[in-house]
Amino acid sequence: MQFSQQGPYQIQGLSLEALAQEYGTPLYVYDADIIERQVQSLHTAFGGLKHRIKYAAKALTNQAILKLMNKNGVELDVVSIEEAQLGLQAGFAPSQILYTPNSVSFKEIQEAVALGLTINIDNISILEQFGNAYESSVPCCIRINPHIVAGGNAKIQTGHIDSKFGISILQMKHVARVVRSSNIRVEGLHIHTGSEFLNSDVFLQGAELVFDAATDFPDLRFIDFGSGFKVAYKEGDHVTDVMELGQKMTQAFKRFCAEYGRELEIWFEPGKYLVSECGYLLANANVVKTTPSSVFVGVDTGLNHLIRPMMYDAYHEIVNISNPEGAKRIYTVVGYICETDTFGYDRKLSEVREGDVIAFLNAGAYGFSMSSNYNSRLRPAEVLIYKGKAHLIRRREVLDDLLRTQVDFQV
Ligand SMILES: *Cc1c(COP(=O)(O)O)cnc(C)c1O
């Protein structure tokens, strides 16, 4: 959360309301300073180790954001061949990109190999095909499911026993057999316990399991601990203390490397941690509607542009930036889609007048990247505030964008 209900509602000295006037609403605005601050905190926390930060591109894939990451010494974690291609287009070298797909065809994995990406394998059947195709000529990483249930919404837990992600830690002996038989070079082990873990102890618990598993893999170059870094969405939220985590992990990792007999690299793949707080979705208050039970504020955006509240019950702070002095009133803020797309129930906002600009905070991660054209609505523009200046990094869609892929057919 970057500012209080009191304002001023500015990014690097630029007024959010003026940005809404200039570029129109709905509008995504990102603050590059916050991204750089978050990156630096990780570089500092893990500075005692050979570390790599692989930004989970799916959180926000705009080319300008990817270039900003690259400039700040951050590499990339991608989950699809298309994300990899966006990364290459933004200037990343193939060797900087870790490809961590799930349920993709072997054909797509072959394409990723051809591009020169580092391949993260999360299925024994794929591992066997990989061994048959490449033997030791192409190294790979193995995604382990440690069966640790980390916090957060059930839909973003990936480490539990029913999860489709990763190869079970209980199957590591089987994996080691496949690896030896096919002469596969396993250069990395990976775990990603889910999108939000509660404390550094859960993280360390996962780490110990991977350290144990590592003894079966003599060719390791790195261990990737995925993500799970939490940021605050509302006051009082638990936040990952990256400095504390850095200290504990540095100790544990150094001890492990000494036992393993070689200094390995430690990798992380934060998405949300790097880009959640940098982003604001600005919308216009189209209507204020009083019903027998509530006062609704209806805005010119909806689940088509920010789906997290509806999909994950995620809490996004909502602020009326046009009326900072206004009396506080209780509102239910809803979207304009023909679904119940409620952004927040019973929120205390400065009195909302039709035409005011409403800001949704923490909208950088999984905001635009999960947006759609549902209800045939156009997707918003994106603006990056960089070194005190606003830059349009994606134009607003126009009707033609909706028709572009349709093929004319006379019925
Ligand atoms: C989504 C994802 C991440 C990033 O998760 P955040 O909660 O955004 O930090 C990291 N690694 C993998 C493999 C993922 O799928």
Coordinates of all heavy atoms in Angstrom, one line a residue, residues 56 58-59 77 79 100 143 165 190 192 194-196 226-229 269-273 365-366, ligand 1:
A56 N 8.9 -13.3 -12.1 CA 7.8 -14.2 -12.7 C 7.0 -13.3 -13.6 O 6.1 -12.5 -13.2 CB 6.9 -14.7 -11.6
K58 N 4.6 -13.5 -15.6 CA 3.1 -13.6 -15.7 C 2.4 -12.5 -14.9 O 1.3 -12.2 -15.2 CB 2.6 -15.0 -15.4 CG 2.6 -15.4 -13.9 CD 2.0 -16.8 -13.8 CE 1.8 -17.2 -12.3 NZ 3.1 -17.6 -11.7
A59 N 3.1 -12.0 -13.9 CA 2.4 -11.0 -13.0 C 2.1 -9.7 -13.8 O 1.1 -9.0 -13.6 CB 3.3 -10.6 -11.8
D77 N 11.5 -15.6 -15.1 CA 10.8 -16.9 -15.0 C 9.6 -16.8 -15.9 O 8.8 -15.9 -15.7 CB 10.5 -17.2 -13.6 CG 9.7 -18.5 -13.5 OD1 10.3 -19.6 -13.7 OD2 8.5 -18.5 -13.1
V79 N 6.2 -19.0 -17.9 CA 5.4 -20.2 -17.8 C 4.9 -20.7 -19.1 O 4.2 -21.7 -19.2 CB 4.3 -20.1 -16.8 CG1 4.8 -19.9 -15.3 CG2 3.4 -18.9 -17.1
T100 N 9.3 -22.5 -16.9 CA 8.6 -23.4 -15.9 C 7.2 -23.6 -16.2 O 6.3 -23.0 -15.6 CB 8.7 -22.7 -14.5 OG1 10.0 -22.4 -14.1 CG2 8.1 -23.5 -13.4
R143 N 11.4 -29.5 -11.0 CA 10.4 -28.9 -10.1 C 9.9 -29.9 -9.1 O 9.2 -30.8 -9.5 CB 9.3 -28.2 -10.8 CG 8.3 -27.6 -9.9 CD 7.3 -26.7 -10.6 NE 6.5 -26.0 -9.6 CZ 5.6 -25.1 -9.9 NH1 5.4 -24.8 -11.2 NH2 4.9 -24.5 -9.0
F165 N 1.1 -29.3 -9.7 CA 2.4 -28.7 -9.9 C 3.5 -29.6 -9.4 O 3.4 -30.1 -8.2 CB 2.5 -27.3 -9.3 CG 1.6 -26.3 -10.0 CD1 0.5 -25.9 -9.4 CD2 2.0 -25.8 -11.2 CE1 -0.4 -25.0 -10.0 CE2 1.1 -24.8 -11.8 CZ -0.1 -24.5 -11.2
H190 N 14.0 -27.0 -8.0 CA 13.1 -25.9 -7.8 C 11.9 -26.3 -6.9 O 11.4 -27.4 -7.0 CB 12.6 -25.6 -9.3 CG 11.5 -24.6 -9.3 ND1 10.2 -25.0 -9.2 CD2 11.4 -23.3 -9.5 CE1 9.4 -24.0 -9.3 NE2 10.1 -22.9 -9.5
H192 N 8.3 -24.2 -5.5 CA 7.5 -23.0 -5.4 C 6.3 -23.4 -4.6 O 5.4 -24.1 -5.2 CB 7.1 -22.5 -6.8 CG 6.1 -21.3 -6.8 ND1 6.4 -20.1 -6.3 CD2 4.9 -21.3 -7.4 CE1 5.3 -19.3 -6.5 NE2 4.4 -20.0 -7.1
G194 N 3.8 -21.9 -3.4 CA 2.5 -21.2 -3.6 C 2.7 -19.7 -3.5 O 3.8 -19.3 -3.3
S195 N 1.6 -19.0 -3.7 CA 1.9 -17.6 -3.9 C 2.0 -16.8 -2.6 O 2.4 -15.7 -2.7 CB 0.8 -17.0 -4.8 OG 1.3 -16.8 -6.1
E196 N 1.7 -17.4 -1.5 CA 1.8 -16.6 -0.3 C 2.2 -17.5 0.9 O 1.3 -18.4 1.3 CB 0.5 -15.9 0.1 CG 0.1 -14.9 -1.0 CD -1.0 -14.0 -0.6 OE1 -1.8 -14.4 0.3 OE2 -1.1 -12.9 -1.1
G226 N 11.6 -20.5 -5.8 CA 10.3 -20.0 -6.3 C 10.0 -18.6 -5.7 O 10.8 -17.8 -5.5
S227 N 8.7 -18.5 -5.3 CA 8.3 -17.2 -4.7 C 7.5 -17.5 -3.5 O 7.8 -18.4 -2.7 CB 7.5 -16.4 -5.8 OG 7.1 -15.2 -5.2
G228 N 6.5 -16.7 -3.3 CA 5.7 -16.7 -2.0 C 5.9 -15.5 -1.2 O 5.3 -15.4 -0.1
F229 N 6.7 -14.6 -1.7 CA 6.9 -13.3 -1.0 C 5.6 -12.5 -0.8 O 4.9 -12.3 -1.8 CB 7.9 -12.4 -1.7 CG 9.3 -13.1 -1.8 CD1 9.6 -13.8 -2.9 CD2 10.2 -12.9 -0.8 CE1 10.9 -14.4 -3.0 CE2 11.4 -13.5 -0.9 CZ 11.8 -14.2 -2.0
E269 N 12.0 -16.4 -7.6 CA 11.1 -16.0 -8.7 C 9.9 -15.2 -8.2 O 8.8 -15.6 -8.3 CB 10.5 -17.3 -9.3 CG 11.4 -18.3 -9.8 CD 10.7 -19.6 -10.1 OE1 9.6 -19.8 -9.6 OE2 11.3 -20.4 -10.7
P270 N 10.1 -14.0 -7.7 CA 9.0 -13.2 -7.2 C 8.3 -12.5 -8.4 O 8.9 -12.1 -9.4 CB 9.7 -12.1 -6.4 CG 11.1 -12.0 -7.0 CD 11.4 -13.3 -7.5
G271 N 7.0 -12.5 -8.3 CA 6.1 -11.8 -9.2 C 5.5 -10.6 -8.4 O 5.9 -9.4 -8.5
K272 N 4.5 -11.0 -7.6 CA 3.8 -10.0 -6.8 C 4.7 -9.1 -6.0 O 4.5 -7.9 -5.9 CB 3.0 -10.9 -5.8 CG 1.7 -10.3 -5.3 CD 1.1 -11.3 -4.4 CE 0.1 -12.2 -5.2 NZ -0.5 -13.2 -4.3
Y273 N 5.7 -9.6 -5.4 CA 6.6 -8.8 -4.5 C 7.2 -7.7 -5.3 O 7.4 -6.6 -4.8 CB 7.7 -9.7 -3.9 CG 8.6 -8.9 -3.0 CD1 8.3 -8.7 -1.7 CD2 9.9 -8.5 -3.5 CE1 9.1 -8.0 -0.8 CE2 10.7 -7.7 -2.6 CZ 10.3 -7.5 -1.3 OH 11.1 -6.8 -0.5
A365 N 0.3 -6.4 -9.9 CA 0.5 -7.8 -10.2 C -0.8 -8.5 -10.5 O -1.8 -8.3 -9.8 CB 1.2 -8.5 -9.0
Y366 N -0.9 -9.3 -11.6 CA -2.1 -10.0 -12.0 C -3.3 -9.1 -12.2 O -4.4 -9.5 -11.9 CB -2.4 -11.1 -11.0 CG -1.1 -12.0 -10.7 CD1 -0.4 -11.8 -9.5 CD2 -0.7 -12.9 -11.6 CE1 0.8 -12.6 -9.3 CE2 0.5 -13.6 -11.4 CZ 1.2 -13.4 -10.3 OH 2.3 -14.2 -10.1
Ligands
LIG1 C1 3.4 -17.5 -10.4 C2 4.7 -18.0 -10.2 C3 5.6 -17.3 -9.4 C4 5.3 -15.9 -8.8 O1 4.4 -15.9 -7.7 P1 4.1 -14.6 -7.0 O2 3.2 -14.9 -5.9 O3 3.6 -13.6 -7.9 O4 5.4 -14.1 -6.4 C5 6.9 -17.8 -9.2 N1 7.2 -19.0 -9.8 C6 6.3 -19.8 -10.5 C7 6.7 -21.1 -11.0 C8 5.0 -19.3 -10.7 O5 4.2 -20.1 -11.4

